[in-house]
Amino acid sequence: MFQAAKQASRTRLNGKDDESMHVESSSSSYRLSLYDKPPLFDVTVEEFETSALDRLRILAEIESSAARNRSWDETKQVTITQCGKYLPLNSNSASGIDLQAERRKDQVGHFALRLAFCRSEELRRRFVKAETTLFKIRYETDDSSERRAFLDSKDFHWISVSTEEKNEYKQQLSHFVSAKSEAEFTNEPFYKVKWTTIIDLVEKRRVFLKSGFAYVPAKEQASIIYAAFEERLEAALLATSRAIPLVDEDTRLNPILDNLAQGFTAGVPSDWVGSSETTGEGITADMVDSLAKQHFPLCMRMLHQSLKKDHHMKHFGRLHYGLFLKVLGLSIDEAIAFWRKSFAGGPGADKFDKEYRYNIRHSFGLEGRRMNYPAKNCLQLHSAHEAGCPYRQLENSPENLQSALLSSYSAQGLTLNDLPEIMSQVKKKAYHVACTRVFEITHARYVKKGEGLGDGESVTHPNQYAARSIELEKEVKMETD
């Protein structure tokens, strides 16, 4: 694992590919993988980070599904949809697809996240749970012949129960199969494993126990495989945690790994850089108040309300809110007009031009370093000490948070009855899940519970929330016109 990590940190400057860069292990032979062999090829830092982030999008959505009590079918569908976007992985029977590239990305992303999530018992537990769920979904949706070939290629430490042994325990084993005749029972495979490896089946009384072994019918075979995947991954993570101090020497990997480790808390943010792509048109200063009441997430809505009340805003509030509005579609001229109007009764014209106009132009890349700064995502707002995520900052003041939610969204359908569900997510520190649930409640005419922004995706960026809200409203208007 360490060798793969060190190789993953090497940057290839020539940009060329070669035969050694393909996945060279049995892991690439099938869509399913136990990740028992680390990839031993050169990986650029960019590929390392991109592969990890795209995989983390899937795992974060899986954990979000658990937090939102989605059914297995709902979780499965959401995961399949997200995998189609960020982590496609086709069977060998697929044609016209670069299977090696897909499996290379799958392998790199998995092992990169091992480095990020091996550092504490809590992170390891969450990683194993999410990865096991992803494996289960892939197992259930895999091509049957390829799945059988994969199983035959691995040793799952099960013992095939002989006909003689089956007949010896026929009375007990017959309870676990639907055989209607002697021949059907004889042809029904059973596997014998240590009972401690399949606790879930033991708890549900779906196996026969004898002398420390569980007799598992073929229809329950998947449980043995899932347990083996989970057990091996737990052991691998512990081994990785012992080697991680060596990786800490690499200053290029550490910031990436630290950022990845926070992904379960805020999800993996999308990059929102162009307003015209999200809203379809620019907005004016006079439109902001109306948009705030209808389409803004709580973080930006509270900043807007504070600005209207005080006609002033501290530096980080102006920074976060200003960048949000810029990406939403507020041009530089409209931004200056908006802030000048918002500060009415505050600083005079000369003071405004001296103290605020420059900063507004700076955020648009027109002054100073001339960088076109992006808006802050949820992960960045979670770590902000000022003007950050209200779900996080008001976590220890539940009354204030509930009051803010009701005052902000009661006109859009949020009621007292909705608060316990939202607050339960806040207590779990699943802040982006709480925000997503608010979106679902306030957009109930467009999306159903569990659908998130419409396709199961959770909120990971304030502009993502606002842009999707505006988009849904436009879609309804187009349908009714």
Side-chain angles (χ1 to χ4, degrees), residues 171-436:
Q171 182 179 354
Q172 294 88 342
L173 297 179
S174 60
H175 295 294
F176 304 103
V177 296
S178 56
K180 297 180 180 180
S181 66
E182 185 76 22
E184 286 183 1
F185 177 79
T186 302
N187 293 328
E188 180 74 21
F190 274 84
Y191 304 94
K192 191 164 63 171
V193 296
K194 292 183 179 179
W195 73 270
T196 52
T197 63
I198 50 167
I199 298 297
D200 59 328
L201 294 183
V202 174
E203 289 179 339
K204 297 173 184 177
R205 299 185 179 183
R206 291 161 69 174
V207 292
F208 169 59
L209 299 179
K210 183 69 176 180
S211 302
F213 284 96
Y215 289 71
V216 184
K219 66 179 181 180
E220 305 289 359
Q221 184 185 39
S223 292
I224 304 176
I225 299 160
Y226 301 155
F229 179 89
E230 187 171 337
E231 181 183 2
R232 296 180 191 191
L233 182 54
E234 287 174 348
L237 283 171
L238 284 173
T240 305
S241 68
R242 291 191 286 268
I244 201 66
L246 299 175
V247 183
D248 287 340
E249 299 170 6
D250 195 312
T251 56
R252 290 177 296 174
L253 282 184
N254 270 329
I256 296 173
L257 297 177
D258 290 341
N259 183 57
L260 291 171
Q262 299 179 59
F264 275 144
T265 301
V268 182
S270 303
D271 296 323
W272 291 81
V273 294
S275 60
S276 61
E277 297 177 2
T278 56
T279 64
E281 59 185 23
I283 62 174
T284 66
D286 292 336
M287 294 168 60
V288 173
D289 190 56
S290 175
L291 290 171
K293 293 176 182 178
Q294 295 295 321
H295 304 295
F296 285 10
L298 185 61
C299 53
M300 297 302 142
R301 195 170 296 208
M302 289 182 68
L303 287 176
H304 181 78
Q305 292 169 350
S306 175
L307 180 60
K308 284 185 63 178
K309 176 184 176 183
D310 301 330
H311 300 289
H312 178 72
M313 187 176 286
K314 292 182 179 180
H315 170 73
F316 286 105
R318 296 197 309 273
L319 175 65
H320 297 167
Y321 193 42
L323 292 174
F324 167 81
L325 292 175
K326 179 189 78 170
V327 173
L328 196 63
L330 200 66
S331 68
I332 177 61
D333 292 335
E334 291 294 331
I336 291 174
F338 169 77
W339 287 104
R340 189 188 298 278
K341 179 181 178 181
S342 299
F343 284 174
D350 290 341
K351 185 176 181 181
F352 179 88
D353 287 340
K354 289 180 180 179
E355 296 187 12
Y356 302 111
R357 185 186 182 95
Y358 176 87
N359 287 337
I360 296 170
R361 288 177 54 82
H362 187 276
S363 67
F364 277 78
L366 301 175
E367 301 287 356
R369 298 171 62 189
R370 298 187 180 276
M371 291 179 58
N372 189 18
Y373 294 93
K376 303 297 181 182
N377 58 52
C378 292
L379 188 59
Q380 292 167 322
L381 292 177
H382 283 185
S383 58
H385 297 293
E386 183 182 316
C389 172
Y391 296 100
R392 183 179 186 277
Q393 294 183 333
L394 296 178
E395 178 183 3
N396 296 323
S397 303
E399 296 82 5
N400 292 337
L401 177 55
Q402 293 179 77
S403 176
L405 285 166
L406 288 174
S407 63
S408 298
Y409 295 108
S410 58
Q412 290 179 267
L414 188 141
T415 68
L416 277 170
N417 294 331
D418 298 313
L419 294 180
E421 182 182 3
I422 297 169
M423 297 306 296
S424 70
Q425 302 302 333
V426 174
K427 290 179 182 178
K428 297 175 185 176
K429 302 189 183 301
Y431 311 117
H432 67 305
V433 176
C435 187
T436 303

Side-chain angles (χ1 to χ4, degrees), residues 1-12 16-25 27-28 37-45 47-48 51 100-112:
M1 181 63 232
F2 171 63
Q3 182 181 1
K6 293 299 286 183
Q7 290 195 10
S9 69
R10 297 177 186 165
T11 305
R12 296 179 62 88
K16 295 180 181 179
D17 200 356
D18 55 44
E19 293 297 321
S20 67
M21 294 185 70
H22 290 294
V23 182
E24 296 179 352
S25 73
S27 298
S28 64
K37 294 181 180 180
L40 300 176
F41 47 76
D42 287 343
V43 178
T44 65
V45 172
E47 181 185 3
F48 180 90
S51 299
Q100 284 290 70
E102 288 186 348
R103 291 169 189 184
R104 173 190 175 93
K105 181 177 182 179
D106 182 67
Q107 293 283 315
V108 172
H110 172 86
F111 281 94

Side-chain angles (χ1 to χ4, degrees), residues 116-129:
F117 291 102
C118 72
R119 302 183 177 210
S120 72
E121 183 177 352
E122 172 66 12
L123 287 175
R124 291 194 294 270
R125 181 190 64 78
R126 295 169 72 176
F127 181 67
V128 168
K129 186 175 181 180

